[in-house]
Amino acid sequence: MSPLDTLRTAVSSLGANKLRAGLTVLGIVIGVTAVISLMSIGRGAQEAITSRIESLGTNLLFVRPGSVSQGGGVFGGQGSAATLTLDDAYALLDPTLASSVAAVAPELRTSGQIVAGRNNTFTQIVGVTPEYQFVRNFPVASGQFISGTHVARRSEVVVIGSSVAETLFGLRDPVGQTLRVNGRRFTVIGVLESQGGTAFGLFDDQVLVPITTAYYRLASQRTTQGGVSVQTINVEVRDEGAMDRAIQEIATVLRLRHRLNGEDDFTISSQQETIETLEETTETFVVFLGAIAGISLLVGGIGIMNIMLVSVTERTREIGVRKAMGAKRRDILLQFVSEATMLSLGGGGAGVLMGLAVARLIDGRTLAGQSFQTAFSGDIAVLALVVSAAIGLFFGIYPAMRAAALHPIEALRHE
Amino acid sequence: MIQLDSVTKVYRMGSVDVAALQEVSLSIQRGEMVAIVGPSGSGKSTLMNVLGCLDVPTSGVYTLEGEEVGQLSDDRLAEIRNRKIGFVFQTYNLLPRISAVANVELPLMYGRTPQRRQKALEALERVGLSERAAHRPTELSGGEQQRVGIARALAKSPSILLADEPTGNLDSASSGEILSILLGLNEEGITVIIVTHERDIALETGRIISMLDGRVVSDEPVGSASRNGPTAGRGA
């Protein structure tokens, strides 16, 4: 029997019971739709995060305190020690020892309760210097950014993220208003531009204060050597080609300043590494979403197997007739396997289209307080089609084998 | 062309072995028209299944056109059925969802024969059913369905036509038609073997093999006068 005849026979058999075929296909359609739309959402989130980080430029390095053993030999995690200071940050601007460094932006993170009138929010407070605005690419939408004077005077001024502004002030202009951070009165001098779009909304829900203010007025942590301790020094390198050299230079400067000979008490990581780590994490998340959706695909596959088994029983006599007419085992096997595969592949195709439609529909909308961004990629579609074809084969092969193994005489006698 | 040498077929029913055929030996020549008769349980259907290569004997030798079919694999048997044997069933066994001509095409499809549609239409013409080719079996009368069945059996120009109670489900008028079609095909040189329990159908053939308890109890030619005479007692 030619492959074309096999396909034709399968189509005509499926066509004989359209409602049943349709309902069976529906199981796969729903499964594939779920896989496609959930994975598109996952990929969307991944892209949003990656592009936000990439927009900072790939010529960024992060210097963080390394883990140092403390007292009883307990190792803290990266960033847990307070070994980097504001002076360390400015020392990296040395034009001879660290010529590849273009700018530094130290930061000190803490968190706290922020109250304005009857509204309050608990959020991230980042102590920064004026350079932070350019190095981390946080332009202000209104008002001004923290200035050198603010840092020098430990001024109690704050630049707030757009979602903080909305929470605390609603539609009013926050610039010039006062608010309380951990009980202290601060003046709002600016509002950051919304970074928008990310499913996680990391960057809009934070407030910036002068780094000295953060250290002396808000944070509890003090460095042992005196001076303002910082958690991260963002370093902008002059050009991307000089990344490795910059890492060497920074390490040299810090080793000199910390009088180190042996283990470093700081770590330097690049933007690229951060992106890679994040991508790994979010990829896991995407695969996890896909796997959950895959369960419904599995259920669809079981539906196919069920219907194929019923079909083999119902058509036992037909199988007997075909065998009497000279159909070989393989002919019968292929006929039923192609029926199952057609069901699953048809469902897969329809599911890809539906999934695409769902992803389109969700894209850019806010649902349950989360703004969604979706990204559809061909590889997900191909994967979904391949998986659904495989499901048809897998769940179709057993019923088909039963059909092929039927003895012609018994099949012909079947009532 | 058909040669059975002490063919025995044993079925296992639960824990008991039942011998459906016991040491059956017979030979059938090309162009013969043979009736196999006997009460139910006599082994005539089993003999039919063995002759039709739907089943293999437990012991003994079955030679079909010089080829020993006794111990062939399922797929080889399927091939032989496809090439050499045309089946006509009591219940027609047409596939209900496809047209008459598509039913006739089935053996051609499995045999990968070229120009299927044309050959199938020719076969339908031989049974006088060309104008009903596009109809589905459910739209045809019993007699017409059986004619489609015969056309299907004929389509691959088999050496043997095996008919298992071909008129069992038909009224006498249709039975007469079917019988005369089978007689006509035999006159064209096709070997026809009919399993029947109707005495007057058997009398139309050239030879009657009587079965009882898995054995051939008589095997005798029918007088040519009887064969070409009127179908007495059938009122056809």
Side-chain angles (χ1 to χ4, degrees), chain A residues 10-313:
Chain A
V11 168
S12 106
S13 298
L14 292 175
N17 213 327
K18 292 192 185 66
L19 179 65
R20 183 196 280 183
L23 288 172
T24 312
V25 162
L26 200 58
I28 297 291
V29 173
I30 292 171
V32 172
T33 304
V35 168
I36 295 284
S37 46
L38 282 180
M39 287 187 88
S40 298
I41 291 170
R43 281 278 163 85
Q46 193 177 24
E47 268 183 21
I49 293 168
T50 310
S51 74
R52 174 67 189 90
I53 293 170
E54 272 172 352
S55 75
L56 301 176
T58 45
N59 57 339
L60 215 50
L61 290 174
F62 308 104
V63 186
R64 296 193 178 89
S67 33
V68 290
S69 65
Q70 292 171 334
V74 177
F75 282 82
Q78 182 188 317
S80 62
T83 53
L84 288 177
T85 66
L86 198 54
D87 291 339
D88 286 337
Y90 287 123
L92 295 179
L93 288 172
D94 189 318
T96 49
L97 283 175
S99 59
S100 1
V101 172
V104 294
E107 63 180 75
L108 174 60
R109 281 180 184 269
T110 180
S111 55
Q113 195 73 26
I114 300 179
V115 186
R118 273 173 295 170
N119 300 323
N120 75 91
T121 180
F122 189 84
T123 191
Q124 282 269 309
I125 301 162
V126 193
V128 301
T129 60
E131 295 81 11
Y132 194 81
Q133 179 181 14
F134 311 109
V135 173
R136 294 300 303 263
N137 193 18
F138 280 122
V140 288
S142 63
Q144 52 161 310
F145 202 77
I146 288 152
S147 70
T149 323
H150 291 139
V151 174
R153 292 188 184 160
R154 304 172 190 172
S155 306
E156 293 180 327
V157 293
V158 62
V159 176
I160 61 181
S162 58
S163 70
V164 176
E166 207 181 306
T167 311
L168 295 180
F169 299 101
L171 294 173
R172 284 183 295 149
D173 180 11
V175 178
Q177 306 280 343
T178 57
L179 46 72
R180 285 181 179 277
V181 180
N182 289 353
R184 288 177 170 273
R185 185 185 291 273
F186 277 67
T187 306
V188 179
I189 55 167
V191 179
L192 292 174
E193 246 177 40
S194 170
Q195 304 290 331
T198 79
F200 297 91
L202 309 160
F203 299 111
D204 291 336
D205 189 24
Q206 62 181 14
V207 302
L208 308 181
V209 298
I211 194 162
T212 45
T213 317
Y215 182 73
Y216 289 110
R217 312 244 193 268
L218 298 173
S220 50
Q221 204 180 21
R222 300 284 152 95
T223 170
T224 43
Q225 296 145 325
V228 177
S229 70
V230 300
Q231 281 160 334
T232 306
I233 304 172
N234 300 285
V235 178
E236 192 182 313
V237 179
R238 276 191 208 288
D239 70 274
E240 276 178 52
M243 298 298 275
D244 289 338
R245 212 175 82 216
I247 291 173
Q248 288 303 321
E249 290 172 357
I250 293 165
T252 310
V253 172
L254 291 179
R255 279 177 200 141
L256 276 173
R257 286 182 56 82
H258 293 185
R259 296 188 188 87
L260 296 174
N261 44 7
E263 208 180 331
D264 287 345
D265 60 356
F266 57 88
T267 57
I268 304 169
S269 57
S270 69
Q271 183 75 305
Q272 206 49 47
E273 286 169 41
T274 314
I275 291 173
E276 277 159 21
T277 313
L278 262 174
E279 271 181 352
E280 264 170 41
T281 318
T282 48
E283 188 60 33
T284 312
F285 167 72
V286 170
V287 168
F288 179 68
L289 280 179
I292 289 177
I295 292 172
S296 53
L297 205 53
L298 195 69
V299 174
I302 293 170
I304 288 188
M305 184 157 173
N306 192 15
I307 246 21
M308 291 311 295
L309 283 172
V310 170
S311 179
V312 169
T313 307

Side-chain angles (χ1 to χ4, degrees), chain A residues 372-396:
Chain A
F372 284 96
Q373 185 179 334
T374 61
F376 178 79
S377 56
D379 60 337
I380 301 179
V382 171
L383 183 78
L385 284 178
V386 169
V387 167
S388 47
I391 278 181
L393 280 175
F394 182 79
F395 287 103

Side-chain angles (χ1 to χ4, degrees), chain B residues 35-45 165 195-199 202 208-213 215 217:
Chain B
I36 300 173
V37 297
S40 40
S42 62
K44 62 183 195 297
S45 289
E165 304 275 8
V195 166
T196 184
H197 60 259
E198 291 175 70
R199 193 80 197 153
I208 298 177
I209 297 172
S210 301
M211 302 280 300
L212 191 67
D213 297 334
R215 294 175 199 278
V217 289

Side-chain angles (χ1 to χ4, degrees), chain A residues 5 16 317 322 325 328, chain B residues 79 82 91 93 97 110 116:
Chain A
D5 286 329
R317 217 185 162 86
R322 289 182 183 276
M325 298 300 135
K328 296 180 186 168
Chain B
E79 232 168 74
N82 185 261
T91 50
N93 277 334
R97 297 183 314 263
Y110 288 113
R116 289 199 318 238

Side-chain angles (χ1 to χ4, degrees), chain A residues 1-3 5 8-9 13 16 317-318 321-329 331 407-409 412, chain B residues 11 49 54-55 74-75 78-79 81-82 87 89 91 93 95 97-98 106-107 109-110 112 116 152:
Chain A
M1 193 174 179
S2 73
D5 286 329
R8 255 192 221 145
T9 307
S13 298
R317 217 185 162 86
E318 172 190 327
V321 173
R322 289 182 183 276
K323 288 200 152 188
M325 298 300 135
K328 296 180 186 168
R329 268 167 181 271
D331 295 325
H407 196 280
I409 295 170
L412 279 170
Chain B
Y11 286 113
N49 290 336
L54 286 167
D55 217 341
D74 286 358
D75 281 352
E79 232 168 74
R81 289 196 292 272
N82 185 261
F87 288 97
F89 302 96
T91 50
N93 277 334
L95 302 188
R97 297 183 314 263
I98 56 177
L106 271 183
M109 181 174 86
Y110 288 113
R112 291 204 180 206
R116 289 199 318 238
R152 182 177 64 183

